[in-house]
Amino acid sequence: MKKLKELTDAKIAAGRQANPEFMSGVDDIIKQEKAFEKGKNAIKIGQKAPSFDLPDPEGKSISLNSLLEKGPVVITFYRGNWCPYCNLQLRALQARLDDIYALGATLVAISPQVPDGSLTKDEISKMDFIVLYDQDAKVALQYGVAWEVPEFLMEHMRVDRKLDLDKINNGKGNVLPIPATFILGRDGVVTWSYVNVDYRTRSEPDEIIEALKKLS
C-alpha cells in the first residue's frame, strides 16, 4: 500500500504538469503564508481541546464530550469533498480504521461543507467514521486552524473548478480549515498534532496510529 505522501506527491506532480503557472502561484502563496506563520495559533500539545457540538449528515448533534467518554478521539479538519487532497487523506484513514478502532479511538472528520442531502440514511449508517459540519469554520477557528483563503486560490476555485463555496458551505466560502489533525486523550487534552498550511500535505495514518499506541 502506498504512503499518503506518495499519493499526494503524485497529485502535485500531475498538477505541475497540467497547470504549471497555477502550481507555481500556489507555491508562492504557501511560502508567504508559512513566512507569516499561519497556523501558529493552533492548539498545542498539552492543551485542553475546545469542546463542540456539531451536526452529522442527518442533522443529529454530536458532542466532543460524548466521544471522549468512549476513549481517545482523532479529529481531522478537511476542506470538503471537492478537494482531491482531502479525499486522498480520508481514503488513507479509511484504510487504517481497523487499526485506529483497535486502539480504542474514534475518528472524526470536520468540514465547513454543508451536508447536501445526497446520502440516504442507509448510506449514512454505513459510514465508517464520523463526519461533522462546521458552519463558517467556527470550530476550526477555536482550534486555531481557520484560514482566510487568498483571492488567487478563490479565483481558481470559482473560475477553473466552477465551485461556489459560499453555496457549498452555506456560509463563508473564503474561510476554510488548514488541514490539521489532533489526537485527544480521554481527558480532552491534545497529545499529538499535525498542522500545515500547505493543503497539499497531510499527516500519515501510520503517524496517527503510532501516537495512539503511546496512549494505550
Side-chain angles (χ1 to χ4, degrees):
M1 182 185 298
K2 287 187 177 181
K3 296 285 188 181
L4 180 56
K5 186 178 186 304
E6 293 179 80
L7 297 173
T8 53
D9 282 351
K11 176 68 71 175
I12 291 169
R16 292 195 192 287
Q17 186 172 13
N19 195 340
E21 184 177 349
F22 169 70
M23 291 299 279
S24 177
V26 173
D27 290 339
D28 291 340
I29 284 174
I30 297 302
K31 186 182 296 184
Q32 177 178 303
E33 297 297 85
K34 286 186 174 181
F36 284 119
E37 298 184 33
K38 290 294 174 69
K40 68 178 180 179
N41 294 323
I43 56 173
K44 304 294 190 293
I45 292 173
Q47 288 186 314
K48 187 77 174 281
S51 61
F52 57 74
D53 286 88
L54 292 173
D56 67 8
E58 282 190 296
K60 177 185 176 183
S61 182
I62 305 291
S63 72
L64 175 59
N65 289 339
S66 68
L67 298 175
L68 289 170
E69 289 176 0
K70 304 172 185 176
V73 176
V74 180
I75 299 174
T76 189
F77 289 91
Y78 72 105
R79 305 196 304 162
N81 64 17
W82 48 267
C83 170
Y85 299 98
C86 296
N87 290 331
L88 286 174
Q89 179 196 22
L90 293 179
R91 284 199 291 269
L93 287 170
Q94 170 75 35
R96 300 301 303 276
L97 268 181
D98 286 346
D99 298 307
I100 292 172
Y101 290 163
L103 293 165
T106 300
L107 174 63
V108 182
I110 299 177
S111 166
Q113 181 175 358
V114 65
D116 61 6
S118 62
L119 294 175
T120 66
K121 286 190 176 183
D122 185 56
E123 287 171 325
I124 291 169
S125 70
K126 292 178 181 176
M127 292 177 70
D128 294 323
F129 55 86
I130 298 169
V131 177
L132 299 178
Y133 168 49
D134 178 23
Q135 186 172 31
D136 294 335
K138 291 175 183 175
V139 171
L141 180 62
Q142 291 179 315
Y143 277 66
V145 294
W147 184 39
E148 187 170 345
V149 182
E151 179 56 29
F152 174 81
L153 292 176
M154 291 301 298
E155 181 180 12
H156 165 70
M157 288 185 276
R158 281 195 307 267
V159 177
D160 299 329
R161 300 199 56 198
K162 311 301 181 188
L163 293 170
D164 183 350
L165 289 182
D166 288 342
K167 182 178 180 180
I168 290 171
N169 293 352
N170 191 32
K172 296 177 181 177
N174 67 329
V175 179
L176 297 173
I178 294 171
T181 301
F182 301 92
I183 295 178
L184 313 182
R186 294 194 68 154
D187 57 2
V189 172
V190 180
T191 63
W192 183 90
S193 67
Y194 177 92
V195 179
N196 192 332
V197 73
D198 188 345
Y199 63 86
R200 301 168 298 184
T201 64
R202 309 297 171 99
S203 56
E204 288 286 348
D206 284 347
E207 296 171 335
I208 294 169
I209 290 164
E210 287 304 310
L212 286 172
K213 286 179 179 177
K214 293 176 182 178
L215 282 178
S216 59

